[in-house]
Amino acid sequence: YILIDRRTGERTVLWHRDPRLAMSPDQLDRTQVCEARLLHVDGCDVEANATAARWAREAGMIVTCDLDTMVPNMDLLIQHVDYFIASQSFPEAYTGEKDPFKALEILRGEFGMRLAAMTLGHDGVLGLSADGFLYSPAYEVDCVDTTGAGDVFRGAFAYAILQGLDLQKALDLACAGAALNCTKMGARGGIATLAQVTSLMEKGARRVNPAYSS
């Protein structure tokens, strides 16, 4: 069940996952996993996701992630991720460090991923690469429903990486795609075309939070 605040578009998800849906590593098919160019994993079924991510890395694939809740053995998965993008609360939950900049430094220092980043909701996204910190402010839109914004963000980011965009442009494109999805009802209601996303990137106003900008 997803509850939407009509005033702000913010959503609350009420969910329960039946334990019988859990997947174990022995249920995976390595050939199927390694036929793609990119593997996207989440925090459910950590051992299975970690196994798939290890296979993908061994095959020279790119591995991205969407991590929200801290669960046991998460390090087994994170060590195989190239582009780490978590929720705003995850870096602190994993590292114990409240300062987002320091938390990302700890994560990247421990695992050496190409990008360690955290989404910030209406403030955009903060990331750390080998070249330093990156901040992409959110685009200002008439928000109707935030459901699915994070998924669209990661999908757009994966597309941008496969297209060879640099990290700043990839984060900007992901923010624009996520913002447009919030303008319609439903998790997939506002998935935009590339032309629409590009137009927002070129003409849209942005909500800059000085706490994250350099």
Side-chain angles (χ1 to χ4, degrees), residues 139-160:
Y139 289 85
E140 295 183 0
V141 296
D142 293 327
C143 182
V144 174
D145 181 5
T146 62
T147 307
D151 298 317
V152 171
F153 179 98
R154 287 160 178 81
F157 179 83
Y159 167 82

Side-chain angles (χ1 to χ4, degrees), residues 64-116:
T64 62
C65 74
D66 179 359
L67 302 181
D68 185 29
T69 305
M70 183 62 194
V71 297
N73 299 319
M74 190 63 81
D75 58 316
L76 298 178
L77 173 59
I78 299 176
Q79 64 180 306
H80 300 300
V81 173
D82 295 297
Y83 297 96
F84 171 93
I85 303 178
S87 66
Q88 187 169 5
S89 61
F90 187 91
E92 179 183 345
Y94 184 87
T95 66
E97 174 58 61
K98 293 184 178 181
D99 185 305
F101 293 91
K102 292 180 180 178
L104 292 178
E105 287 178 336
I106 292 172
L107 279 164
R108 192 170 185 280
E110 180 176 350
F111 296 104
M113 62 277 285
R114 299 182 195 180
L115 175 72

